[in-house]
Amino acid sequence: METKVEIGEPAIKSEIKTVSRKKANLKKILTYLAFVGPALIFFLVIQIIPFLMGIYYSFTSWNGVSSVVEWVGLENYIKIFKNDPKFFDSFIFTTKFMLASVIISNLLGFGLALLLNAALKSRNLLRTVFFIPNVIGGLLLGFIWQFIFVKGFAAIGNLTDLSVFKLPWLGDETTAFWGIVIVFAWQISGYMMVIYIAALQGVDQTLLEAAKIDGASSWTLLTKIIIPLILPAFTICFFLTISMAFKIFDLNISLTGGGPFNSTQSVAINIYQEAFQNNRYGLGTAKSILFFLVVAIFTTVQVMMTKKREVEA
């Protein structure tokens, strides 16, 4: 009997350890679910399920109101490519706007970050001032700048007789385009500035001091040391500005409404009008799916390219 007890004790201890390990794992899983579960449920309900429903409706002729949903297959996509030149015009405008906005916003954000990362007494106040436009809603911001372009610039032009203030900023295709770019860059550059400042503060100052001792100029410090070290910040900022510029809607609709003559109509406005004004919800969702694919391709390529530069640096 004593031999049996001795043989059985290790098995009992092993079983106890297995049970306690399972309890610990179950406790970890329940803890993760308690923290991640609500966010995951909201993400599924707000993002994933509507996205999957949108894919389904893109193959239908649903008008967004009727209870009858007719399956039409690829008909909506064929219509877009064959009979919808306005959609592609809006795509061209949005792409040009994205390229201009990304370059200007990041140049402004990075320039402000370099300036306000220096030992200035008022840098905290200035950081707040430059960040405030990002807090203002796009619709409100658009109406404010609409008043500035139409009334404010006209008044300044009459006082100063400067031709730049006498331009029809929102009444001409070219100036309206640059007007939207200016407002977008003014709104978003403060946000980019914060990201760049955070990256600049992580640069090892001993490297900069050693380079200065070796006789490196300010330009060399910037291009050979600072920029390579903060390339991850450029990856983030480029990704954010590309996605934000592509999805522009509220700023565009409050500034120009897509005018004059639809010359500044973004893809988002085109999709909105198709789905909710023309009551062609199926066609509108088909456009949104195509738009999603293009934005996904652009942002993926951008992230891959900048990530590659990070590794090389």
Side-chain angles (χ1 to χ4, degrees):
M1 289 294 291
E2 291 179 2
T3 307
K4 288 183 179 179
V5 172
E6 289 176 1
I7 293 171
E9 282 180 357
I12 293 170
K13 289 180 179 178
S14 176
E15 188 175 346
I16 292 171
K17 286 182 180 178
T18 303
V19 172
S20 61
R21 194 181 298 114
K22 287 181 179 179
K23 286 183 178 179
N25 290 335
L26 181 61
K27 187 178 179 180
K28 285 182 180 179
I29 292 170
L30 291 174
T31 304
Y32 291 147
L33 287 175
F35 284 99
V36 180
L40 183 61
I41 291 170
F42 277 108
F43 181 72
L44 287 171
V45 172
I46 297 172
Q47 295 287 343
I48 302 300
I49 294 175
F51 178 73
L52 295 176
M53 290 175 65
I55 293 175
Y56 166 72
Y57 285 126
S58 70
F59 296 103
T60 69
S61 61
W62 189 41
N63 61 8
V65 179
S66 174
S67 58
V68 179
V69 180
E70 182 184 354
W71 180 270
V72 295
L74 295 173
E75 185 178 324
N76 289 328
Y77 293 94
I78 294 170
K79 282 182 181 178
I80 293 170
F81 284 102
K82 283 190 173 181
N83 303 315
D84 201 342
K86 286 185 179 180
F87 180 67
F88 291 98
D89 290 341
S90 66
F91 234 119
I92 292 170
F93 164 77
T94 307
T95 304
K96 291 192 296 184
F97 170 79
M98 180 273 296
L99 293 172
S101 299
V102 167
I103 294 170
I104 295 172
S105 299
N106 282 281
L107 283 175
L108 277 174
F110 186 59
L112 290 171
L114 288 174
L115 179 66
L116 300 181
N117 194 48
L120 298 174
K121 290 183 179 180
S122 58
R123 63 181 179 180
N124 290 331
L125 175 63
L126 290 173
R127 288 174 186 176
T128 304
V129 169
F130 287 123
F131 183 75
I132 283 175
N134 186 69
V135 181
I136 304 173
L139 279 173
L140 178 60
L141 200 65
F143 287 125
I144 291 171
W145 272 91
Q146 186 186 61
F147 175 81
I148 292 172
F149 280 129
V150 175
K151 300 294 183 180
F153 278 18
I156 295 172
N158 291 331
L159 290 173
T160 61
D161 203 33
L162 294 174
S163 58
V164 68
F165 294 109
K166 293 184 176 182
L167 294 173
W169 275 96
L170 301 181
D172 178 75
E173 179 180 348
T174 303
T175 52
F177 170 83
W178 287 109
I180 300 171
V181 171
I182 290 169
V183 179
F184 180 84
W186 181 79
Q187 180 188 24
I188 209 69
S189 58
Y191 185 31
M192 300 303 110
M193 173 198 71
V194 172
I195 298 173
Y196 285 126
I197 287 174
L200 288 171
Q201 290 179 345
V203 174
D204 190 352
Q205 295 300 312
T206 57
L207 291 174
L208 300 179
E209 291 172 3
K212 287 178 183 178
I213 293 171
D214 289 339
S217 64
S218 299
W219 179 251
T220 304
L221 289 175
L222 178 64
T223 56
K224 301 298 183 182
I225 298 177
I226 295 175
I227 291 179
L229 287 175
I230 64 168
L231 277 178
F234 282 96
T235 301
I236 295 169
C237 289
F238 284 151
F239 174 81
L240 290 174
T241 48
I242 287 172
S243 58
M244 289 176 182
F246 261 126
K247 295 184 296 183
I248 185 173
F249 176 76
D250 47 2
L251 196 64
N252 189 193
I253 205 167
S254 58
L255 264 177
T256 64
F261 306 108
N262 294 323
S263 61
T264 63
Q265 185 185 79
S266 66
V267 177
I269 291 180
N270 184 274
I271 292 170
Y272 169 80
Q273 291 179 346
E274 194 71 75
F276 300 107
Q277 292 184 359
N278 300 336
N279 291 326
R280 291 196 286 259
Y281 194 87
L283 187 59
T285 51
K287 290 182 178 184
S288 67
I289 296 300
L290 291 175
F291 184 43
F292 165 78
L293 292 174
V294 171
V295 175
I297 291 169
F298 263 90
T299 51
T300 302
V301 170
Q302 173 264 312
V303 170
M304 289 174 64
M305 290 177 64
T306 49
K307 282 287 184 183
K308 184 180 177 182
R309 293 295 299 271
E310 287 178 29
V311 175
E312 291 176 353

